[in-house]
Amino acid sequence: MTTGAASGEGRFLRRPAVGGLPRSRASNQAPGEHRIDAAGADHLLLAGVADCNLRELASLFGVQVVLRGDGLLLAGPPGPVAGAARVAAHMIELARLGKPFGTPDVARFASALADDAGPAAQEDDERLRIAVPGAGRVVVPRSDGQRAYLQAMEESDVVVGIGPAGTGKTYLAVARAVSDLFRKRVRRIVLARPAVEAGENLGFLPGDLQEKVDPYLRPLYDALEDMMPPARIRRGIADRAIEIAPLAYMRGRTLSGAFVILDEAQNATAAQMKMFLTRLGADSRVVITGDKTQIDLPPAQTSGLVQIEDVLGGVQGIEFVYMDAGDVARHRLVAEIVKAYEAAGQREAVAAPLPPADPE
């Protein structure tokens, strides 16, 4: 099985054709060929579904990749082979530890290792491996930023996760909340979100009040449904063990024994943020997530997420965790899109005219 074009695009062979990798007449070792021991690695985790991980590795570096027995063989120009070997070694170590990863992770490994800031492959602290009983799987951090984020949730009562789209801010927080609910560390989960339109005026929505706000809360339902069976979610909502509501519904309440998540907090006003944080009751934990580059509030209103960085930055028990494009866990293009927008923003800031000097 081969993929790639004659233009030099990376090729992948899981079971090589007759003759295997190209050989030099003068030597039994092909130029630029490298073999890495993969003994003990889970081949399914290493290769991915339909060999997607190895295909991604081959495409990123323009090399040939062969998984044969307990060895991973790489062939191509010496430079790309050396780069691919570093990423492949990290992939093999993760597969030995039983840690799942996908094609976006392979691309992130390649980027991080190219910057000589590759992720450590040591076994994560057991506390950071979130068992999700309803999903029948374990959620693990896939970057240093995600690792710091989960560590903060273990150690602090209030955690503020700030970073671009796709870094797992909401997903990991919901996973932690569901795990704590199943382990009876909390009695309920409260998920809140500001009901703010993303740059559009949708007008009057049909239906009753719940039907009107449901579109704004849909991302929270999506994250929850990935962690729990639908019947368990319905039962939890009926028993009030799970609550998903607009941020405005939090006023006047005291949230005790709860894991509370405020998502899209960049769209909470300063007054709403103060109101939300003062709802914290006994034995409760709060996670606030947001992306400061996607604020949809009117220009005259101050984002509560931006404000609390200055107001609460030195308060003990409140921890801020910052993630960047290197922590993006969605499609690999999402990280490139985030970087491109960041670069554009920096260029605009440099090009912006300076304000006129005050007359003396």
Side-chain angles (χ1 to χ4, degrees):
M1 175 176 60
T2 63
T3 62
S7 60
E9 183 181 351
R11 292 174 293 168
F12 165 75
L13 295 171
R14 179 71 181 273
R15 295 177 179 83
V18 177
L21 294 172
R23 301 287 179 181
S24 167
R25 290 185 179 180
S27 169
N28 193 42
Q29 184 82 356
E33 182 179 325
H34 185 77
R35 184 183 187 280
I36 305 175
D37 181 19
D42 185 316
H43 281 203
L44 181 57
L45 290 180
L46 176 60
V49 178
D51 304 322
C52 60
N53 292 339
L54 298 185
R55 291 179 185 275
E56 180 73 4
L57 179 66
S59 177
L60 286 170
F61 289 93
V63 299
Q64 189 178 42
V65 180
V66 178
L67 180 58
R68 181 192 299 160
D70 286 332
L72 187 69
L73 282 75
L74 309 172
V81 165
R86 296 181 65 197
V87 177
H90 181 65
M91 293 166 58
I92 289 171
E93 191 161 358
L94 291 177
R96 284 175 177 151
L97 294 173
K99 298 182 180 181
F101 57 90
T103 53
D105 303 302
V106 176
R108 187 167 62 251
F109 300 156
S111 176
L113 290 168
D115 296 335
D116 293 322
Q122 77 263 14
E123 187 169 1
D124 292 314
D125 187 323
E126 188 63 28
R127 294 177 303 166
L128 303 184
R129 299 169 65 87
I130 306 174
V132 185
R137 56 188 170 84
V138 174
V139 175
V140 297
R142 295 188 172 185
S143 69
D144 290 340
Q146 291 188 355
R147 188 174 294 110
Y149 186 46
L150 288 177
Q151 185 73 34
M153 287 189 225
E154 282 292 324
E155 298 174 352
S156 302
D157 289 332
V158 177
V159 176
V160 183
I162 299 175
T167 49
K169 304 182 298 295
T170 304
Y171 188 84
L172 292 175
V174 172
R176 178 86 274 169
V178 171
S179 175
D180 283 2
L181 182 65
F182 273 98
R183 293 160 60 192
K184 300 188 183 304
R185 295 179 65 180
V186 296
R187 296 194 305 272
R188 56 179 169 160
I189 298 172
V190 179
L191 308 177
R193 209 170 194 250
V196 176
E197 296 165 352
E200 299 178 72
N201 186 355
L202 300 180
F204 293 99
L205 297 176
D208 58 22
L209 184 59
Q210 189 61 44
E211 290 173 327
K212 291 179 187 295
V213 299
D214 270 354
Y216 299 102
L217 306 177
R218 187 69 251 173
L220 295 176
Y221 282 103
D222 291 341
L224 199 59
E225 288 168 359
D226 202 37
M227 306 289 174
M228 302 174 68
R232 179 67 181 85
I233 296 174
R234 290 193 295 270
R235 188 165 65 251
I237 292 174
D239 296 340
R240 303 185 68 82
I242 299 172
E243 181 179 350
I244 305 176
L247 175 59
Y249 285 21
M250 298 295 107
R251 186 174 296 279
R253 303 181 59 186
T254 300
L255 302 174
S256 301
F259 196 117
V260 189
I261 300 173
L262 174 59
D263 191 37
E264 297 290 336
Q266 74 275 5
N267 289 327
T269 64
Q272 287 177 325
M273 183 65 74
K274 179 182 177 181
M275 176 273 293
F276 172 78
L277 286 169
T278 54
R279 302 307 95 200
L280 184 63
D283 302 320
S284 286
R285 308 166 73 192
V286 169
V287 176
I288 298 170
T289 73
D291 178 358
K292 294 189 294 182
T293 68
Q294 297 192 29
I295 298 174
D296 298 312
L297 293 172
Q301 287 188 317
T302 300
S303 167
L305 181 66
V306 174
Q307 186 189 60
I308 61 172
E309 287 184 279
D310 295 328
V311 175
L312 303 178
V315 176
Q316 187 174 3
I318 300 178
E319 186 164 353
F320 289 78
V321 179
Y322 295 88
M323 287 179 273
D324 56 28
D327 300 302
V328 172
R330 289 180 186 167
H331 192 287
R332 63 183 179 84
L333 284 178
V334 174
E336 299 303 319
I337 292 168
V338 170
K339 290 178 181 178
Y341 272 101
E342 288 176 350
Q346 292 171 357
R347 290 194 299 270
E348 290 176 1
V350 170
L354 296 174
D358 293 333
E360 295 183 358

